Amino acid sequence: MSTESTLLARCDSKCELCSSTSDLAPFVVAPHTYITVDHATILCGTCRAQVESPESMDVNHWRCLNDSMWSQVPQVQVLAWRQLTNLSRQGETWANELLDMMYIEEETKNWAEIGMDEDEEKARDINGVVLQKGDDVTVTKDLPVKGSSTIIKQGTVVRNISLDADPRLISGKANGQSMYLIAEYCRKK
């Protein structure tokens, strides 16, 4: 079974936000870039266009979030939370009330918050969790060390990290050696 047919079966061939049955297509929820069952939803053309261009948002169309925000699918919750947050920032009190009622797991909320702070980029781990100075992280895949034949093995713990001016990089000590690591190849402990 293909990814798209699995997604369509999950949502009963309806938009996962507004339940429309026309112009359906998979939509990858940022920051992910590949269509997978765990990172994509099925959206209609109307929802897709307004999610991609929030400035063209039709406020009344998004009243459908009253139902879809209760979805058990994390990526649907992420999109619902983001849209409600945008509407709330525009002064829509009903959206703010729905946000107050919405239940969302912490990991899913961290995913939803990615991209909402447009003013400042932050170092984030493989799950989108914001990393802070002093955190401990675990390397999630084997990483070659530039200029050396050394490899930092998957599962290596890097303690007491420091942040770099480039939000993609963190620094710390692994195996007694100081080095820079790409934050997205690590998981916060």
Side-chain angles (χ1 to χ4, degrees):
M1 189 181 249
S2 73
T3 302
E4 186 171 348
S5 55
T6 303
L7 290 170
L8 285 167
R10 177 182 74 201
C11 67
D12 198 26
S13 296
K14 294 178 183 174
C15 174
E16 292 187 271
L17 292 179
C18 74
S19 299
S20 172
T21 57
S22 62
D23 192 21
L24 299 177
F27 179 83
V28 180
V29 180
H32 303 287
T33 55
Y34 297 105
I35 295 174
T36 67
V37 174
D38 295 329
H39 300 142
T41 62
I42 293 291
L43 296 184
C44 67
T46 304
C47 287
R48 192 170 46 254
Q50 292 185 43
V51 166
E52 291 173 344
S53 302
E55 63 278 356
S56 67
M57 197 179 289
D58 173 14
V59 174
N60 288 324
H61 174 77
W62 293 109
R63 297 220 180 240
C64 63
L65 295 175
N66 190 35
D67 295 325
S68 57
M69 72 181 210
W70 300 111
S71 172
Q72 296 298 309
V73 179
Q75 52 272 36
V76 175
Q77 293 175 353
V78 166
L79 288 178
W81 188 89
R82 287 178 182 173
Q83 291 304 100
L84 287 170
T85 300
N86 285 332
L87 289 162
S88 181
R89 288 178 181 173
Q90 293 177 14
E92 297 296 327
T93 54
W94 64 269
N96 197 35
E97 290 168 3
L98 289 180
L99 269 175
D100 288 343
M101 287 191 300
M102 187 174 185
Y103 175 77
I104 188 168
E105 295 282 341
E106 181 145 354
E107 185 176 320
T108 306
K109 188 171 183 182
N110 287 336
W111 179 9
E113 289 173 340
I114 295 172
M116 295 303 288
D117 296 332
E118 294 146 8
D119 300 337
E120 179 183 356
E121 286 189 46
K122 298 178 182 173
R124 296 183 185 273
D125 75 357
I126 193 168
N127 295 320
V129 176
V130 175
L131 298 174
Q132 298 176 353
K133 182 178 179 180
D135 285 344
D136 295 341
V137 297
T138 304
V139 177
T140 59
K141 70 180 225 173
D142 290 351
L143 299 173
V145 178
K146 280 188 178 178
S148 151
S149 62
T150 309
I151 294 179
I152 301 299
K153 295 286 188 189
Q154 177 181 350
T156 301
V157 176
V158 180
R159 299 195 185 282
N160 198 20
I161 64 166
S162 297
L163 304 177
D164 191 68
D166 181 348
R168 295 174 299 153
L169 299 177
I170 58 172
S171 61
K173 279 192 172 184
N175 301 333
Q177 185 178 5
S178 294
M179 65 188 66
Y180 283 95
L181 297 165
I182 297 173
E184 67 185 28
Y185 296 138
C186 300
R187 180 183 356 258
K188 185 174 178 178
K189 285 196 80 156

